[in-house]
Amino acid sequence: MHLKTPAGLSRKEAELWATLDPKRLPHHIAIIMDGNGRWARRRHLPRIAGHRAGAQAVRSTTETAARIGIPSLTLYAFSTENWLKRPPTEVNFLMALLKRYLKQEVPTLNNNNIRLEYIGRKHELPEDVQERMQWAQDATSGNTGMRLTLALNYSARAELVDAFNSLVHAAAQNGGVGHLKVDEDAIARHLYTCQLPDPDLVIRTSGEMRLSNFLLWQLAYAEIYVTPTLWPDFRGTHLLEAIHEYQKRERRYGGLGSDNGHNAG
Ligand code: FPP
């Protein structure tokens, strides 16, 4: 029997929800938000208009994820590479947009019982942005529902470098590196995501078939869903469609599938 429709879903979302098995929802969804620039170009608008519209998509997607009971959602907002490859005016706009988003969203996050957290090299961000981030995190830290993690100034290789340094540092404090024992659990404990389960589903918008240095360790067994929809057009309905597709897949974790190993992977 299907459970009751969660409160707050639109009619289209409720229809899509009815196609899902509520017992097999992903525990953690990660999203590579891409296509803001192309969305703007198609409308003959400046790139920053695409980012502004992208913030609306963040709002819709986050609310729907929380309403249907997804425990963790991680959004790739700014990669470390973004700083180097975009004009300073665009980077400054993105920083200002992030500050405004954080200020405006805290009441909505609280209404939806969402806890806000971050991954990435936060200390390299402008000080005023770091202060606003801390403020928003503190203001939502008492919430017990969905964990929303924004990846800001994030890169997976930098995360691994930081994890290995942290491992070595911890060993040096604790009997010396001669005693250092490195295994998968030890590495996972030193990642930024040590409090989160690995994502079951990673979504990439705007049709690109790349992971772009996002959660490379954690996505080892994730189902990959790529949609041609550009990020500013992405809404809760698209999230539900992605979950529908996810539920059609058979997850094997390297074991044999029900077809006795043909196509196992
Ligand atoms: C990719 O579009 C997206 C980003 C650079 C960053 C994502 C930022 C937002 C969604 C804005 C708001 C975010 C928050 C958390 C408030 P692109 O510019 O790379 O698009 P393109 O590949 O079409 O040029």
Side-chain angles (χ1 to χ4, degrees):
M1 202 193 77
H2 206 279
L3 299 176
K4 156 166 162 295
T5 305
L9 296 192
S10 69
R11 198 167 57 84
K12 180 85 202 297
E13 285 178 333
E15 277 167 27
L16 287 159
W17 167 259
T19 70
L20 301 181
D21 176 354
K23 291 194 210 67
R24 289 193 302 118
L25 291 177
H27 299 285
H28 183 181
I29 301 177
I31 306 185
I32 303 173
M33 307 184 287
D34 194 14
N36 294 355
R38 272 160 285 175
W39 183 93
R41 196 164 60 239
R42 284 184 196 172
R43 287 164 177 74
H44 308 287
L45 293 170
R47 291 177 56 79
I48 57 171
H51 297 317
R52 205 180 285 125
Q56 296 286 342
V58 170
R59 187 167 298 133
S60 166
T61 307
T62 302
E63 276 202 319
T64 301
R67 284 173 177 157
I68 64 171
I70 299 297
S72 302
L73 176 70
T74 298
L75 304 177
Y76 199 6
F78 310 128
S79 70
T80 309
E81 289 82 7
N82 278 167
W83 312 125
L84 312 167
K85 297 195 183 141
R86 287 169 199 251
T89 48
E90 184 175 337
V91 172
N92 291 338
F93 178 84
L94 284 167
M95 287 295 103
L97 183 66
L98 174 64
K99 274 182 73 180
R100 197 170 345 122
Y101 165 84
L102 292 173
K103 181 149 190 214
Q104 283 175 355
E105 277 327 281
V106 161
T108 317
L109 297 176
N110 283 335
N111 284 339
N112 288 284
N113 198 20
I114 299 170
R115 215 171 346 160
L116 180 63
E117 282 157 8
Y118 312 98
I119 53 172
R121 288 184 174 165
K122 290 172 268 193
H123 60 278
E124 291 174 358
L125 292 167
E127 209 136 299
D128 57 328
V129 175
Q130 288 185 50
E131 281 167 17
R132 182 66 60 82
M133 288 164 61
Q134 190 60 51
W135 168 80
Q137 180 164 355
D138 293 344
T140 60
S141 63
N143 294 334
T144 53
M146 188 175 83
R147 248 184 153 119
L148 172 63
T149 305
L150 297 182
L152 295 165
N153 193 28
Y154 175 85
S155 113
R157 287 188 175 181
E159 178 184 27
L160 286 166
V161 169
D162 289 350
F164 296 148
N165 277 316
S166 161
L167 256 175
V168 171
H169 183 76
Q173 308 259 299
N174 190 19
V177 283
H179 298 276
L180 178 58
K181 192 174 163 297
V182 181
D183 56 20
E184 291 192 10
D185 283 345
I187 292 171
R189 274 200 306 276
H190 288 264
L191 295 172
Y192 306 146
T193 53
C194 55
Q195 305 287 337
L196 290 167
D198 286 346
D200 313 288
L201 169 65
V202 57
I203 298 171
R204 181 160 189 155
T205 59
S206 91
E208 309 291 344
M209 302 285 182
R210 289 188 294 280
L211 288 178
S212 296
N213 213 352
F214 185 46
L215 301 176
L216 297 180
W217 176 278
Q218 298 87 335
L219 293 177
Y221 291 105
E223 291 295 330
I224 302 176
Y225 176 84
V226 176
T227 170
T229 303
L230 303 177
W231 177 253
D233 292 325
F234 198 91
R235 290 291 178 273
T237 48
H238 299 90
L239 182 77
L240 289 156
E241 278 164 10
I243 298 171
H244 181 80
E245 172 66 28
Y246 162 84
Q247 291 193 337
K248 289 199 298 199
R249 309 241 184 116
E250 186 189 1
R251 304 188 72 199
R252 300 196 189 110
Y253 300 98
L256 298 182
S258 55
D259 62 354
N260 249 347
H262 299 293
N263 305 317

